[in-house]
């Protein structure tokens, strides 16, 4: 079996698993199950990053999304004690009505893709490695990087203030 | 550190299609779920679909800027989750539910 075929099978497997888990996020009634399925989806997307030679992004993605953000979600869901019984539900007909535009959106967007743009890989395959990414981040994107740290600080202060019971 | 896979031969259309499907599943979740936390999670799903597309294009075009943008999306998503979940906790404390059909105070 050559490497290209192996890559192809890996793409199919990861894509199938990602789409199935993403559907289960939407369809499962228990919010805790939704979180666990979303973590699975993130792992599959991380696998795609590896296929795309973005090794450093894979590590960051697993740590930040699957590690930090989803734990936050799980923590809040458990703290609010949300479970299957307390889960609000829509009528089946309403769901069907909402599924229709989403399905049409898939049709329209994938129809736009059908133009069959041929794209060959340009440049080296080393761009996903940390030394190259750091080079670009700290030379070309230094100002956005610093501004994003201010954004993070503002978000943190906002979350703390909101979490306080009474602001004195 | 050497790249795991030296060269890929997949058409870029496959990645675009996968991202479209994941994005639309996120849209579907925002539309049909009423629990605000699940709606947040579906927004995360949409952000990730776009991230995947940016990494794919970055790899095919040989430009690292796409992967740097993914970092910024990651930062904004993390800040959004922190503030959003704090707001949800406040809402839950005051009205005792996370059902978005009760969050109609801003409705005109």
């Amino acid at each position: 079996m050559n490497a290209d075929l192996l890559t192809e099978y890996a793409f199919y497997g990861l894509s199938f698993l990602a789409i199935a888990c993403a559907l289960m996020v939407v369809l499962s009634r228990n919010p805790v199950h939704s979180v666990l399925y979303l973590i699975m989806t993130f792992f599959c997307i991380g696998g795609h990053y590896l296929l795309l030679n973005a090794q450093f992004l894979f590590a960051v993605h697993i740590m930040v999304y699957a590690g930090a953000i989803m734990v936050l979600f799980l923590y809040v869901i458990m703290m609010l004690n949300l479970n299957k019984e307390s889960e609000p539900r829509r009528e089946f007909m309403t769901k069907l009505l909402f599924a229709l535009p989403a399905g049409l959106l898939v049709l329209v967007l994938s129809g736009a893709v059908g133009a069959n743009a041929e794209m060959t890989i340009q440049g080296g395959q080393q761009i996903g490695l940390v030394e190259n990414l750091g080079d670009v981040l700290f030379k070309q994107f230094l100002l956005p990087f610093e501004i994003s740290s201010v954004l993070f600080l503002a978000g943190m202060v906002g979350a703390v203030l909101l979490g306080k019971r009474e602001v004195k | 550190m050497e790249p795991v896979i030296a060269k890929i031969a997949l058409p870029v259309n496959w990645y675009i299609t996968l991202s479209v499907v994941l994005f639309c599943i996120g849209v579907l979740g925002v539309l049909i779920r009423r629990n605000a936390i699940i709606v947040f999670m579906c927004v995360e799903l949409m952000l990730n679909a776009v991230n995947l597309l940016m990494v794919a294009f970055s790899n095919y075009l040989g430009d690292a800027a796409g992967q740097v943008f993914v970092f910024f999306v990651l930062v904004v998503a993390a800040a959004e989750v922190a503030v959003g979940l704090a707001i949800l906790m406040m809402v839950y404390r005051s009205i005792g539910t996370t059902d978005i059909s009760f969050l109609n105070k801003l409705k005109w």
Side-chain angles (χ1 to χ4, degrees):
Chain A
M1 189 183 286
N2 59 2
D4 284 352
L5 208 60
L6 205 65
T7 313
E8 204 175 311
Y9 284 144
F11 177 88
Y12 280 135
L14 285 172
S15 305
F16 176 77
L17 207 60
I19 291 173
C21 289
L23 276 176
M24 284 308 291
V25 173
V26 177
L27 297 179
S28 68
R29 282 195 60 195
N30 195 332
V32 178
H33 292 176
S34 283
V35 173
L36 297 178
Y37 279 120
L38 194 57
I39 293 176
M40 271 303 292
T41 313
F42 285 163
F43 272 110
C44 296
I45 292 176
H48 278 298
Y49 287 173
L50 274 188
L51 279 185
L52 287 165
N53 280 317
Q55 287 93 345
F56 181 62
L57 221 50
F58 164 76
V60 172
H61 179 83
I62 296 296
M63 277 190 279
V64 174
Y65 264 114
I69 295 184
M70 296 323 291
V71 167
L72 206 61
F73 271 106
L74 202 59
Y75 180 62
V76 169
I77 284 176
M78 286 179 164
M79 197 150 75
L80 300 185
N81 200 16
L82 300 175
N83 48 32
K84 206 168 156 186
E85 285 71 40
S86 64
E87 183 66 15
R89 299 198 72 186
R90 285 200 197 276
E91 296 291 318
F92 180 70
M93 280 310 287
T94 326
K95 277 185 183 171
L96 209 62
L97 217 64
F98 281 138
L100 195 66
L104 286 177
L105 191 62
V106 178
L107 273 185
V108 170
L109 288 179
S110 44
V113 177
N116 200 15
E118 287 295 325
M119 199 181 256
T120 51
I121 301 172
Q122 298 163 10
Q125 294 298 309
Q126 307 287 326
I127 54 166
L129 302 185
V130 60
E131 57 235 74
N132 194 358
L133 278 185
D135 203 46
V136 176
L137 184 64
F138 290 115
K139 278 184 183 158
Q140 279 181 299
F141 295 96
L142 186 61
L143 183 66
F145 175 78
E146 296 293 343
I147 292 175
S148 69
S149 68
V150 176
L151 174 79
F152 234 143
L153 191 66
M156 219 154 63
V157 172
V160 169
L161 278 181
L162 282 169
K164 278 178 131 179
R165 204 164 279 272
E166 286 292 322
V167 182
K168 294 193 175 77
Chain B
M1 195 164 109
E2 287 297 309
V4 178
I5 294 154
K7 188 178 183 303
I8 56 166
L10 303 176
V12 74
N13 287 359
W14 292 10
Y15 281 104
I16 303 177
T17 312
L18 174 65
S19 298
V20 163
V21 171
L22 284 178
F23 187 88
C24 290
I25 291 172
V27 171
L28 181 73
V30 170
L31 288 175
I32 72 173
R33 294 303 293 257
R34 280 168 56 193
N35 189 338
I37 296 180
I38 311 280
V39 172
F40 260 174
M41 279 162 45
C42 292
V43 173
E44 295 292 321
L45 198 58
M46 286 195 267
L47 288 173
N48 266 280
V50 176
N51 276 355
L52 178 62
L53 197 57
M54 279 199 284
V55 173
F57 275 129
S58 148
N59 190 45
Y60 279 83
L61 295 174
D63 188 357
Q67 299 194 16
V68 172
F69 284 154
V70 174
F71 282 121
F72 293 131
V73 172
L74 221 69
V75 168
V76 173
E80 171 235 317
V81 164
V83 176
L85 287 179
I87 291 174
L88 267 182
M89 292 291 298
M90 286 286 290
V91 166
Y92 188 82
R93 261 187 216 150
S94 52
I95 66 174
T97 178
T98 53
D99 189 341
I100 51 170
S101 31
F102 292 107
L103 304 180
N104 51 7
K105 295 282 184 286
L106 289 178
K107 232 185 210 171
W108 189 46

